[in-house]
Amino acid sequence: MISYAFRRVLSAIPIVFLTITVCFFILRLAPGGPFDGERALPVNVLKNLRAHYNLDQPILTQFFLYVGGVLRGDFGPSMVMEDFTVSRLLSIGLPFTLMLGFTAFIVGTIAGLVAGALAAVNQNRWPDYLLVFVVLIPLIIPNFLMANLAQLIFGVYLGWLPVGGYRAGSYINLVMPILILAMPHGARVARLVRGSMIEVLGTNYIRTARSKGLGAALILTRHAIKPALLPVVSYLGPGLSYLLTGSLVVEQIFALPGIGKYFITAALNRDYGLVLGTTILYVFIILALNLIVDVLYAWLDPKVRLN
Amino acid sequence: MKQVLSVQNMSVTFALHNSEVHAVREMNFDLAEGETLAVVGESGSGKSQAFLAIMGLLARNGRTGGRAMMGDVNLIGMATDQLDRYRGKDIAMIFQDPMTSLNPSLKIKTQLSEVLVKHRGFDKAKATNTAIEMLERVGIPEPAKRANAYPHQLSGGMRQRVMIAMALLCQPKILIADEPTTALDVTVQAQMLDLFKTLTDDFGTSLVLITHDLGVVAGVADRMMVMYGGRAVEKGGVDDLFYDPRHPYTLGLLHSTPHIAKRAARLDPIQGLPPSLEHLPKGCSFNPRCAFAFDRCLIERPPLTDAGSGREKACFYEGPMAYGKVA
């Protein structure tokens, strides 16, 4: 198992390198730069700024300088927020974003599991039809629209929840963003669980379990859940990474202090260092999640474990 | 002799989109204590569905009618949670395909011990020990080690032994074995049948052996019920039916089975295919494939009637049935 994990970590290196390369050049291809504003800067100032950030060097040199920095753990300065390094900004925003993403992940996964299992057990009866319909809604409506609608309905018209913002400890402000984030994730999980659970409930070994008189609850929790989770688990890794990236938009809509705020402003301002730094961080998170999923997989499926 | 199971006028129907299929009709039989009853028929004769119905394991569109009395308990139409007090304890079932009948994600010992925990109220440790003893009893070498294995680590024969051990844990009154040897190698089949015989004798369990293989029946069963098109067409003692079949279908089955003593160059199979249950022929269901059929068979369905010496048959033909005359 350990050598397997080690090999996985090694295979991640080229992926990270490739991501850095592609993102670096794509960013430079986009028109504009970090120092373009509504009012053009004086030529001399611009020249000094570009020299300061190595932007006057040939692009390949810039690339190797950047990669060298990353290898030393230095993501460079933010080009727009002058007094901050990229690492500093990330360390301010990341904990909040992770907290938001993971909470939504847990809420969505649990809700999806329960809803999916409920639908499967009641296949082709009204609870199933209802759940299949309800689950479609967050899959059809994109979260930025859903978020605005929720703000309008629950924040403005009904006044039940705050529209946005966050101060340390005011968890009520997080209810709406977490639910908005969790809904599409939960919906996907529910659909997966429903499908795989229906398949598992039709297998011979579930018939065996029924013939033993174990009772519906035990059959579901001991015999059906584990095999039914297999396809779900392989989705959870990518699912969590969607949540963490999706939270960038949701944070922006609800004016929350995560990395999302930096990332989106950085992209709009062509803050090369900050965009790249955030992207690399996300690549790391996604790779780590996939590794965790594969290890979990081995636990669920004994055949994988022994091979 | 004491009857442990009495099936009366049982029927099984499946609702399809616009129609109904009658898989089993008017089934009647008694199962005595310690007795082995073989239920024989081709695929689609309704033999498996009849017993899945008794166990409450039909597909969701299946409906069962009639009664299956185990003592004074009617197993048919019983609510699932009530049925669960008997299933696995007093009446157990073994399935055809041992490769898919065990849960791939649970250890053997978990799948065995849970039966004892549920029906006998054993704690986990005691249940596991009893399970290991039972594994030894069904001839699994190193049972304590195998108990910790997952199903995919065992061969097909071993898995079927595990299924047998699982079914017999609570020493049930009735064991239903649905083609228990079909998926196994021929060499393993014989061992498995011996095992059935010894164990059911030891526990005084009545065995229902569902099969299409008359070779299996000959060695193990006391009585036999031949099914065709969802109905029993002949019933009686195994020797009687083997040496003096009274229904052309039974005769046909016997002639389709290779016999080691007869040096026949070819087998003599029953011509044609089993009927579709949705479109049974008028009159006797077997008439299109029957060499003895006459005009009455085409119009009227022969009822199952007493044929003397504890036998019953559903056939109008009363004359002699010579070898080679079938089909």
Side-chain angles (χ1 to χ4, degrees):
Chain A
M1 185 58 84
I2 291 168
S3 80
Y4 172 73
F6 183 69
R7 264 182 292 137
R8 283 292 305 267
V9 172
L10 280 186
S11 73
I13 294 174
I15 299 176
V16 174
F17 181 75
L18 212 69
T19 323
I20 296 178
T21 314
V22 170
C23 291
F24 185 89
F25 289 105
I26 284 182
L27 266 177
R28 297 306 160 103
L29 279 177
F35 311 113
D36 295 339
E38 288 179 8
R39 215 148 44 90
L41 291 168
V43 180
N44 284 339
V45 178
L46 190 62
K47 199 176 161 213
N48 283 337
L49 272 172
R50 291 178 65 88
H52 177 72
Y53 291 112
N54 295 326
L55 292 178
D56 53 351
Q57 312 261 1
I59 189 146
L60 268 180
T61 318
Q62 287 182 41
F63 176 67
F64 288 118
L65 281 171
Y66 183 74
V67 172
V70 171
L71 286 178
R72 289 191 306 272
D74 175 14
F75 289 89
S78 163
M79 295 175 192
V80 176
M81 315 202 25
E82 284 115 38
D83 293 331
F84 292 92
T85 62
V86 170
S87 308
R88 173 99 186 92
L89 283 174
L90 291 182
S91 71
I92 297 172
L94 189 66
F96 183 86
T97 299
L98 288 183
M99 184 269 287
L100 195 70
F102 275 104
T103 318
F105 175 75
I106 292 166
V107 171
T109 307
I110 292 175
L113 282 177
V114 173
L118 221 65
V121 172
N122 292 297
Q123 192 195 354
N124 296 340
R125 289 197 282 255
W126 71 264
D128 182 30
Y129 293 131
L130 182 72
L131 282 163
V132 167
F133 176 75
V134 168
V135 148
L136 273 179
I137 298 170
L139 291 179
I140 296 167
I141 305 178
N143 63 4
F144 53 83
L145 178 58
M146 192 84 108
N148 285 317
L149 286 175
Q151 282 175 321
L152 195 62
I153 295 169
F154 299 105
V156 178
Y157 293 155
L158 298 171
W160 292 350
L161 292 166
V163 172
Y166 176 75
R167 266 174 301 116
S170 62
Y171 296 113
I172 185 90
N173 291 46
L174 297 181
V175 173
M176 223 172 354
I178 284 174
L179 287 182
I180 293 293
L181 263 179
M183 271 195 298
H185 171 72
R188 279 188 211 99
V189 171
R191 287 170 67 93
L192 278 170
V193 171
R194 178 182 177 272
S196 68
M197 187 68 105
I198 284 173
E199 202 184 310
V200 167
L201 288 177
T203 58
N204 284 345
Y205 57 84
I206 293 300
R207 185 180 63 185
T208 306
R210 284 164 65 203
S211 82
K212 294 196 282 187
L214 294 179
L218 200 55
I219 289 174
L220 207 62
T221 53
R222 185 181 290 163
H223 283 263
I225 286 274
K226 247 171 116 180
L229 277 184
L230 278 175
V232 183
V233 164
S234 49
Y235 169 73
L236 289 185
L240 181 50
S241 50
Y242 292 148
L243 275 186
L244 294 178
T245 42
S247 78
L248 301 185
V249 178
V250 172
E251 281 169 19
Q252 184 74 3
I253 295 172
F254 288 99
L256 300 174
I259 342 182
K261 190 171 71 184
Y262 303 126
F263 187 73
I264 290 178
T265 37
L268 294 176
N269 291 336
R270 304 281 182 275
D271 189 342
Y272 297 141
L274 189 48
V275 173
L276 274 173
T278 322
T279 310
I280 293 168
L281 196 71
Y282 267 94
V283 170
F284 268 115
I285 294 175
I286 290 168
L287 287 173
L289 290 176
N290 280 331
L291 181 64
I292 294 171
V293 162
D294 285 343
V295 173
L296 245 179
Y297 218 84
W299 175 70
L300 283 172
D301 187 353
K303 279 183 216 166
V304 175
R305 195 179 321 169
L306 290 142
N307 288 344
Chain B
M1 212 187 287
K2 201 180 146 205
Q3 304 297 335
V4 289
L5 182 69
S6 172
V7 170
Q8 296 151 11
N9 197 24
M10 191 173 85
S11 63
V12 176
T13 47
F14 290 97
L16 300 183
H17 270 293
N18 307 311
S19 61
E20 277 198 329
V21 174
H22 296 265
V24 179
R25 303 179 200 231
E26 294 166 39
M27 191 188 220
N28 289 285
F29 70 89
D30 290 323
L31 184 67
E33 197 174 66
E35 170 185 57
T36 297
L37 171 72
V39 180
V40 181
E42 287 163 293
S43 323
S45 61
K47 57 191 194 304
S48 294
Q49 295 306 328
F51 290 91
L52 286 174
I54 292 173
M55 292 293 289
L57 298 174
L58 283 185
R60 215 192 263 172
N61 60 345
R63 293 280 170 277
T64 317
R67 304 204 294 169
M69 304 299 297
M70 193 171 65
D72 13 313
V73 190
N74 181 10
L75 295 172
I76 285 168
M78 192 183 260
T80 313
D81 53 338
Q82 215 184 341
L83 192 59
D84 280 338
R85 283 196 253 149
Y86 303 102
R87 292 197 284 197
K89 180 166 170 260
D90 297 319
I91 181 166
M93 189 158 180
I94 295 170
F95 302 95
Q96 176 171 354
D97 188 359
M99 307 309 270
T100 59
S101 292
L102 288 165
N103 193 324
S105 55
L106 296 176
K107 286 183 181 174
I108 301 294
K109 65 173 179 192
T110 314
Q111 303 191 46
L112 287 173
S113 59
E114 63 185 0
V115 181
L116 291 162
V117 173
K118 158 87 194 188
H119 293 298
R120 289 268 183 265
F122 285 12
D123 62 46
K124 233 176 170 177
K126 191 177 174 199
T128 307
N129 285 334
T130 316
I132 291 171
E133 279 165 30
M134 189 53 89
L135 286 178
E136 184 159 26
R137 197 130 180 208
V138 297
I140 290 183
E142 298 180 83
K145 196 178 143 202
R146 296 280 181 269
N148 272 312
Y150 288 93
H152 72 272
Q153 294 169 287
L154 305 182
S155 69
M158 283 296 158
R159 285 188 224 184
Q160 196 61 301
R161 283 173 197 269
V162 170
M163 288 295 293
I164 296 171
M166 196 153 84
L168 291 175
L169 276 171
C170 291
Q171 315 204 347
K173 289 184 223 155
I174 304 159
L175 176 63
I176 299 166
D178 186 1
E179 310 236 8
T181 59
T182 307
L184 303 177
D185 290 344
V186 185
T187 45
V188 184
Q189 285 187 10
Q191 296 173 10
M192 211 58 69
L193 290 172
D194 278 345
L195 185 66
F196 269 112
K197 239 178 136 171
T198 342
L199 288 174
T200 48
D201 282 353
D202 287 359
F203 294 139
T205 300
S206 310
L207 177 66
V208 176
L209 191 65
I210 304 169
T211 182
H212 59 259
D213 184 350
L214 287 175
V216 168
V217 176
V220 188
D222 305 310
R223 281 195 309 136
M224 152 172 173
M225 172 160 73
V226 181
M227 290 190 66
Y228 190 82
R231 291 175 195 272
V233 292
E234 188 166 13
K235 288 198 267 184
V238 167
D239 289 347
D240 289 344
L241 262 68
F242 268 60
Y243 293 109
D244 179 23
R246 299 275 175 81
H247 194 287
Y249 180 60
T250 314
L251 183 72
L253 280 179
L254 287 166
H255 285 176
S256 326
T257 308
H259 197 287
I260 201 159
K262 284 184 196 143
R263 300 186 51 127
R266 287 168 171 279
L267 287 174
D268 189 6
I270 307 174
Q271 297 298 319
L273 293 170
S276 152
L277 291 169
E278 280 178 272
H279 308 287
L280 283 180
K282 201 167 177 286
C284 173
S285 310
F286 189 57
N287 74 53
R289 304 169 76 188
C290 181
F292 304 98
F294 55 103
D295 44 3
R296 192 178 175 195
C297 307
L298 304 179
I299 306 157
E300 221 182 305
R301 186 176 51 76
L304 196 64
T305 49
D306 195 343
S309 57
R311 302 180 56 168
E312 287 173 75
K313 66 159 185 171
C315 182
F316 293 129
Y317 181 74
E318 296 291 348
M321 288 198 289
Y323 177 80
K325 264 216 79 180
V326 175

